[in-house]
Amino acid sequence: MLKPPIISSAKPLKRPLQARAKFTVQAIFDAFVRIWRRDGWERLTTRAVALETGIAVGTLYDYFPNKSALLSGYVRHCIEQLLREIAAQAVAPPGLEWRVRIAVLTRLVCGVDAPELPWFDAQMLALEAQIAEPKHHRRVHEELTQAWHCVFAACTDLAAPPPAALAEALHLSVWGARRYGLLIALDAEQMRQWAGQAERICIAAIAASQPAPAA
């Protein structure tokens, strides 16, 4: 079976470490999104992103040698921001009832009514085959499964920890459904209805994993 070719240079050159570099890369991502939403992927160029950002093209090339590398960096940024929001909203707050933690988690993973997350376009999903290898998908799978484990561990009001296999099963169910919803272009209301059902399914599955009350 033929695989779409991976663009060899579809990889960011370096990660921003200093505060100024992080600010610059965030500004690049913001310009990237504005141009994509205004003009589309086909008309997006690194030069246009540099002009929109207000930086030299050479500065952009220090991080992203071409627009495929810029897309790759932005998709990774989306995943990292999702993981940060899960940790901040569904894991870290003390005293949340477990159903609330799961509701927050599923809202974020579904990407519905989540303005704190970066914008993501369905076409980005279609272009993934050109910028991502199986090992990259495996990495995201492992990171998101671990996020579910962390939320489960924070649900200290449960009678017993949910089985480890349940975290992976729910992650695959919700994340896979989100990607498929993008693929078939569900509208905003359809996505919202699905997200509500996904939340109820996750809560029911976790509740069913709990030991029966003593007679």
Side-chain angles (χ1 to χ4, degrees):
M1 180 178 179
L2 294 176
K3 297 181 180 179
I6 302 295
I7 299 174
S8 59
S9 57
K11 182 178 180 181
L13 294 179
K14 63 180 181 179
R15 291 177 63 85
L17 299 177
Q18 303 300 322
R20 183 173 180 178
K22 291 179 179 179
F23 178 84
T24 298
V25 170
Q26 183 60 59
I28 290 170
F29 287 152
D30 291 344
F32 171 76
V33 168
R34 286 195 300 273
I35 295 173
W36 185 309
R37 300 186 78 169
R38 184 181 68 225
D39 302 329
W41 168 254
E42 291 75 15
R43 297 179 63 187
L44 187 150
T45 66
T46 51
R47 182 172 296 278
V49 172
L51 287 172
E52 184 92 7
T53 308
I55 62 173
V57 175
T59 300
L60 187 146
Y61 287 164
D62 285 341
Y63 298 96
F64 309 106
N66 53 51
K67 75 176 191 177
S68 293
L70 180 49
L71 173 60
S72 177
Y74 180 75
V75 171
R76 182 62 203 168
H77 164 69
C78 291
I79 296 298
E80 291 177 349
Q81 186 62 29
L82 172 58
L83 292 169
R84 282 192 291 269
E85 292 297 336
I86 291 172
Q89 297 189 44
V91 178
L96 288 185
E97 197 263 342
W98 73 267
R99 291 177 179 81
V100 176
R101 293 189 192 275
I102 300 305
V104 171
L105 172 61
T106 52
R107 176 181 64 82
L108 291 169
V109 175
C110 290
V112 173
D113 295 328
E116 63 270 53
L117 297 180
W119 175 78
F120 191 85
D121 185 72
Q123 192 178 5
M124 293 180 182
L125 185 62
L127 291 166
E128 275 189 1
Q130 299 180 27
I131 62 171
E133 300 175 49
K135 65 181 180 181
H136 300 133
H137 293 291
R138 170 60 62 176
R139 175 186 177 185
V140 172
H141 164 72
E142 291 172 352
E143 289 173 330
L144 287 173
T145 300
Q146 182 58 35
W148 281 82
H149 284 302
C150 290
V151 176
F152 281 6
C155 295
T156 54
D157 53 332
L158 284 171
L166 185 58
E168 183 171 24
L170 293 179
H171 152 61
L172 288 171
S173 298
V174 179
W175 187 246
R178 177 188 178 180
R179 290 168 65 83
Y180 193 69
L182 285 170
L183 180 66
I184 63 174
L186 294 180
D187 62 31
E189 182 56 31
Q190 289 173 315
M191 290 293 285
R192 190 171 291 110
Q193 291 180 9
W194 158 71
Q197 293 296 335
E199 176 189 324
R200 287 185 277 276
I201 289 169
C202 290
I203 289 174
I206 294 167
S209 76
Q210 296 300 288

